[in-house]
């Protein structure tokens, strides 16, 4: 039996540790409240910049990192690059206010399991987290890996962006 970042007892077998990294307190609080409604997810920590996210991931060893794309000290992409080198098995879901095609490809190539636009966080976060957990449980990835390269078809990318923009 352990405890989360607030000291609340947590049963390891029943929880999935999550770190939330976003520089906006309102977003962190919103994500925390959404996760509170999903029993299998336990907030293991929160932070407000990229450097703190790296330190927290190394100390807490979460199962999932919910990472803002635009943060002070280190961007979400810089955090993903650093984590790819030091913690390549960490599952990451990126939150973004906006994301262009180049960023989407880079984020997925760096190992993120998904990108969720902030304007749909409230309605889609629980569903997205459950989907990531199912993929993890089955050992599947949402992209095709060919050696060290990642291949994403343009059609798959368009469908992915459309689903998250209009969902």
């Amino acid at each position: 039996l352990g405890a989360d970042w607030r000291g609340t007892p947590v049963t390891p077998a029943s929880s999935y540790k999550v770190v939330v990294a976003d520089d906006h307190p309102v977003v962190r609080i919103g994500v925390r409240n959404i996760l509170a409604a999903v029993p299998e997810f336990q907030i293991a920590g929160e932070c407000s910049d990229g450097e703190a996210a790296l330190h927290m991931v190394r100390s807490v060893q979460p199962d999932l990192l919910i990472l803002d794309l635009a943060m002070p000290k280190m961007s979400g992409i810089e955090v993903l690059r650093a984590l790819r080198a030091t913690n390549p098995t960490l599952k990451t879901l990126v939150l973004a206010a906006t994301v262009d095609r180049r960023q989407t490809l880079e984020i997925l190539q760096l190992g993120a399991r998904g990108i969720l636009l902030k304007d749909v966080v409230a309605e889609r976060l629980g569903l997205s987290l459950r989907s990531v957990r199912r993929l993890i449980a089955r050992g599947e990835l949402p992209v095709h890996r060919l050696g060290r390269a990642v291949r994403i078809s343009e059609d798959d990318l368009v469908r992915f962006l459309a689903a998250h923009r209009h969902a």
Side-chain angles (χ1 to χ4, degrees), residues 67 69 76-85 87-90 92 94 99-115 141-154 157 160:
L67 179 66
L69 185 59
I77 288 177
E78 291 170 320
V79 171
L80 285 170
R81 278 191 197 113
L83 289 173
R84 184 175 187 180
N87 195 345
T89 61
L90 176 66
T92 305
V94 173
V99 63
D100 63 32
R101 185 178 180 152
R102 182 195 55 78
Q103 288 173 314
T104 299
L105 291 173
E106 185 172 10
I107 289 165
L108 294 174
Q109 287 173 336
L110 289 170
R113 298 303 197 254
I115 301 164
L141 298 174
V143 294
H144 306 284
R145 292 194 179 270
L146 301 171
R148 299 181 83 92
V150 177
R151 179 177 51 87
I152 304 165
S153 77
E154 185 172 333
L157 179 62
F160 176 83

Side-chain angles (χ1 to χ4, degrees), residues 5-76:
W5 65 284
R6 295 172 302 231
T8 305
V10 175
T11 305
S14 67
S15 66
Y16 194 70
K17 293 190 307 186
V18 181
V19 166
V20 179
D22 196 296
D23 59 324
H24 294 98
V26 171
V27 173
R28 285 195 314 274
I29 291 166
V31 169
R32 181 185 335 133
N33 290 339
I34 292 167
L35 288 174
V38 184
E40 64 264 30
F41 293 103
Q42 181 67 44
I43 298 288
E46 297 177 18
C47 52
S48 61
D49 67 67
E51 286 180 2
L54 280 179
H55 294 295
M56 187 164 289
V57 164
R58 290 178 182 140
S59 66
V60 173
Q61 295 294 307
D63 300 299
L64 176 67
L65 171 63
I66 299 176
L67 179 66
D68 184 16
L69 185 59
M71 286 192 300
K73 298 188 181 178
M74 289 180 79
S75 72

